[in-house]
Amino acid sequence: VSFDEVVYDYDVAPVDGGKKLGVLFGLTQRKSVEFLINTLKASGLSLASMEIAPASLERLFAFIDSKDHASKGYIHFSAGSNYMVFSHGGLPVLYRETETEGAGAMSGRRLDIKGAVQFVDRYVGGGSKYNDIRLSGDAADTWKPIAEKEAESIPASLWDPAAVCGLKDSTVPAMFAVGAGLKDKLTLPPSLDISGLSAAARVEQDVQRSIWAITALIGGLLLFFILI
């Protein structure tokens, strides 16, 4: 796929004690954005912005579980899959969706928490120190012993983000939607918009400001010459 066929955006955050910049890059096919714009337009709605799912989930968890959020890793279980989010500086460094349904007996299942922690540690220069693995969703309590065994010295705890949000169930699409809906309500990162609409709006505003500035300058010059 060429870059002419995609739309993208990125966000940055300092890592490794400010020695480096971490970049969260998101992209999707242009035709996907066009499809959503047309679908919403048919319903009398307009698309404001679009972001990648990990960004929405990270924003939601950062908002509803803000205490010591930077030191927590999250695993949510829903519809036979688990969704893992390990972040740094408000940006998801590792996001993974894994099918858990039909994976065999519980004793043979794994989450690879140790690998996730090592991955984040490698890419942010040891900037993230996790002291809690938060488990939620369908049958999260049955996964707790596995998480505790894998995490070794990091404790695992249960919580219910769906209840905090007032949702009827723990389905991930609903959580993605709530997290995305918070985008323009909070100052929390990330600030991605892979639809390109925000960038286009900023360019339009810059053009309008330039036009007004030029108009004011010309008007001032004309008034000056008239007075002379």
Side-chain angles (χ1 to χ4, degrees):
V1 179
S2 69
F3 265 80
D4 293 333
E5 299 175 1
V6 300
V7 285
Y8 60 89
D9 197 9
Y10 63 91
D11 202 351
V12 297
V15 298
D16 198 8
K19 299 176 183 177
K20 302 176 184 177
L21 282 179
V23 180
L24 176 65
F25 192 86
L27 79 163
T28 190
Q29 292 187 333
R30 189 179 300 276
K31 62 183 180 182
S32 298
V33 177
E34 293 171 350
F35 171 77
L36 285 173
I37 290 175
N38 293 331
T39 301
L40 291 171
K41 186 180 294 185
S43 301
L45 302 171
S46 59
L47 180 66
S49 65
M50 182 187 296
E51 65 182 8
I52 56 178
S56 301
L57 201 58
E58 163 61 17
R59 182 183 301 106
L60 173 64
F61 289 166
F63 179 60
I64 65 176
D65 192 29
S66 58
K67 185 178 180 181
D68 300 323
H69 174 73
S71 62
K72 298 173 181 176
Y74 295 85
I75 306 176
H76 184 76
F77 301 90
S78 176
S81 297
N82 73 66
Y83 302 79
M84 178 182 288
V85 184
F86 282 74
S87 305
H88 175 75
L91 303 182
V93 178
L94 182 145
Y95 173 79
R96 185 167 63 211
E97 299 181 13
T98 307
E99 289 188 8
T100 54
E101 200 169 64
M106 288 298 295
S107 59
R109 297 184 183 185
R110 60 193 302 267
L111 299 168
D112 194 24
I113 294 174
K114 187 175 181 179
V117 173
Q118 290 175 341
F119 180 90
V120 176
D121 186 67
R122 184 185 307 123
Y123 283 94
V124 303
S128 288
K129 300 299 181 184
Y130 296 102
N131 56 32
D132 190 7
I133 305 299
R134 300 283 267 166
L135 308 176
S136 59
D138 302 337
D141 56 328
T142 63
W143 285 95
K144 190 170 183 287
I146 297 174
E148 290 174 332
K149 182 178 179 180
E150 289 190 19
E152 296 179 348
S153 60
I154 306 174
S157 62
L158 300 173
W159 74 306
D160 191 352
V164 176
C165 295
L167 300 175
K168 294 181 179 180
D169 53 46
S170 298
T171 56
V172 169
M175 294 193 179
F176 287 156
V178 175
L182 293 171
K183 184 175 186 292
D184 294 329
K185 308 295 182 181
L186 306 172
T187 57
L188 293 172
S191 58
L192 294 174
D193 179 13
I194 57 176
S195 72
L197 295 174
S198 296
R202 287 194 297 270
V203 170
E204 183 178 353
Q205 290 175 353
D206 290 341
V207 170
Q208 289 178 345
R209 282 194 291 266
S210 298
I211 291 174
W212 279 108
I214 293 171
T215 302
L217 177 61
I218 293 174
L221 290 173
L222 289 174
L223 180 61
F224 174 76
F225 287 118
I226 290 173
L227 293 175
I228 290 178

